[in-house]
Amino acid sequence: MSDTEEVVENDVVDTTLRPKLVNIGRRQYRTTFPDDGVAIDSSNGEATADVASSAHEFEQLEDGRYRFAMTISSLFYGLIIGRGGQAKTQLEKETNTIIQVPDRRSRSESVVISASSPDSLEACRTRLELLVGEGKAKARPTHFVCFPLNSKAVQKAAADFHANTVDLIGQQPDFHESWIIDPISFHLTIGVLKLFTAAEIVQATEVLKEAQKRVQKLFGGQAQECSIQGLGIMNEDHKKVQVLYAHPKLRSGSVSLQHVADEVMACFVDAGLVQPGRSVKLHVTLIKTRQGRGGRRPAFDASVLLEQLQSFKFGTSPLKELHLSQMGRAAGRFYRAEAVLRL
């Protein structure tokens, strides 16, 4: 699990506890994914899929049937097919359609639906969007936008912090040195994304270019540095800590780092790749416990660290690049980037 992912632990709590209702024909479905393109009937507060007003263009074949191709990641083929193909067969029967799902070994991300009428095609398309939307809502983020903060000066200071940490709490039975984050991976997470198809990654890369322009404008064409100093925790109990982090701050300028982050993510919200919501808590992760047996994450006593290293200075790192990176990384390396833009 990436050390970036603690910023999205409660991503789907609201929608999971308060699912929307969507009517398709005579059937009603619960959905926890955003209701883009689904009309809300104000008389009863329920969502209704309006087949007649669909803006989708279906291809009509020579035999009079209709066809539509949907771009769907192979990650969700299992949801469409179901155990023994039962889900796919049932959906085809209920919507009077034929669904062609690529083989898992294929690189194709095109699921093709065919039917004798546009209404049947639209009903199946909507059902598939609901199904895939549910899968996306439950899936963990795949990518994140960040500023790398791993200058040589920061890495050197982090090595000192590592040594101090081992000296102060290394003998605690509930602490593992492996939880200390490798400074080569230090970064500032601005926001997280769920990108499941090649087309979505291409779109996100284009959006990043717009974000680049906004950041450059906010920086006023001046080189900026981020200072990293002081310790913080994600909870209130110093004796039961799962994440220990350092505070980042712009060294100069009238703009705040939080404002910069919000402006970057506003680009992704406008593009429909991220749902509007609370801002990410800006931090540089120093120590993060890992999930153990039974799925529970342990905690450690950080009291001594917070007392003796509260104002620890990690130095500065220039904000030279804006990255769109994949979750997860190889040991001793920074996160693999889909796109790197100079600032």
Side-chain angles (χ1 to χ4, degrees):
M1 180 186 298
S2 166
D3 61 283
T4 299
E5 292 180 292
E6 68 263 8
V7 300
V8 291
E9 292 294 335
N10 298 316
D11 248 12
V12 296
V13 171
D14 267 359
T15 50
T16 300
L17 294 178
R18 288 176 286 278
K20 298 178 180 65
L21 299 178
V22 177
N23 295 322
I24 303 177
R26 295 183 179 181
R27 291 178 175 271
Q28 190 175 76
Y29 301 89
R30 292 180 179 273
T31 175
T32 59
F33 80 101
D35 54 356
D36 296 340
V38 181
I40 303 296
D41 185 347
S42 59
S43 64
N44 58 17
E46 296 177 356
T48 304
D50 187 355
V51 173
S53 64
S54 172
H56 292 279
E57 296 182 1
F58 301 142
E59 176 188 3
Q60 187 168 17
L61 305 176
E62 292 183 359
D63 62 2
R65 292 177 62 82
Y66 294 85
R67 182 172 67 181
F68 182 68
M70 298 178 65
T71 300
I72 298 176
S73 169
S74 59
L75 292 173
F76 305 111
Y77 289 172
L79 294 176
I80 298 172
I81 297 171
R83 180 175 296 179
Q86 292 181 359
K88 175 176 171 290
T89 300
Q90 183 67 21
L91 181 54
E92 289 175 325
K93 180 179 179 181
E94 292 177 355
T95 58
N96 194 27
T97 58
I98 296 175
I99 305 170
Q100 295 175 294
V101 180
D103 187 278
R104 279 187 174 275
R105 293 167 294 183
S106 169
R107 293 187 177 183
S108 173
E109 295 178 332
S110 181
V111 173
V112 180
I113 318 165
S114 59
S116 59
S117 74
D119 285 353
S120 293
L121 210 60
E122 178 64 15
C124 185
R125 181 200 65 78
T126 305
R127 288 276 295 277
L128 285 176
E129 284 195 347
L130 287 170
L131 186 62
V132 173
E134 292 288 346
K136 288 183 176 180
K138 294 176 182 178
R140 298 193 69 85
T142 60
H143 295 75
F144 63 100
V145 180
C146 74
F147 291 120
L149 296 177
N150 56 357
S151 67
K152 290 183 178 179
V154 168
Q155 291 189 53
K156 184 177 184 302
D160 293 337
F161 173 80
H162 186 134
N164 288 335
T165 297
V166 172
D167 287 343
L168 292 171
I169 65 171
Q171 300 305 312
Q172 289 184 11
D174 58 351
F175 181 78
H176 297 276
E177 187 178 351
S178 62
W179 293 342
I180 303 175
I181 302 299
D182 184 349
I184 192 68
S185 70
F186 277 10
H187 65 277
L188 185 65
T189 298
I190 298 173
V192 295
L193 303 166
K194 295 182 179 182
L195 308 175
F196 299 103
T197 66
E200 289 172 339
I201 293 173
V202 170
Q203 182 187 5
T205 299
E206 291 302 310
V207 173
L208 193 71
K209 293 177 182 178
E210 176 59 32
Q212 175 194 32
K213 295 177 184 178
R214 291 198 188 186
V215 173
Q216 290 172 334
K217 184 176 180 180
L218 289 170
F219 286 176
Q222 301 296 316
Q224 294 289 340
E225 287 188 326
C226 179
S227 65
I228 308 171
Q229 179 179 350
L231 306 182
I233 58 176
M234 293 293 183
N235 58 308
E236 296 181 357
D237 191 344
H238 293 188
K239 295 181 180 296
K240 295 181 180 180
V241 173
Q242 293 179 328
V243 176
L244 181 81
Y245 63 87
H247 299 284
K249 184 179 180 181
L250 283 179
R251 287 196 66 187
S252 61
S254 58
V255 65
S256 71
L257 202 52
Q258 187 65 64
H259 181 59
V260 173
D262 291 344
E263 282 295 304
V264 169
M265 292 315 295
C267 294
F268 290 90
V269 172
D270 293 344
L273 289 174
V274 175
Q275 293 301 308
R278 66 187 185 279
S279 299
V280 167
K281 181 180 179 64
L282 299 180
H283 66 283
V284 180
T285 304
L286 302 173
I287 302 175
K288 182 179 179 181
T289 64
R290 296 191 181 92
Q291 210 169 58
R293 294 179 180 177
R296 298 183 62 182
R297 278 180 60 187
F300 66 97
D301 186 346
S303 301
V304 177
L305 295 181
L306 292 168
E307 289 173 3
Q308 299 194 28
L309 303 178
Q310 178 60 53
S311 300
F312 192 93
K313 296 180 180 180
F314 291 87
T316 63
S317 189
L319 299 181
K320 292 182 177 180
E321 298 173 342
L322 186 61
H323 286 211
L324 172 64
S325 298
Q326 298 177 5
M327 289 287 186
R329 66 181 183 86
R333 295 188 179 184
F334 194 70
Y335 297 87
R336 182 178 177 183
E338 301 283 3
V340 176
L341 300 182
R342 298 283 296 180
L343 297 175

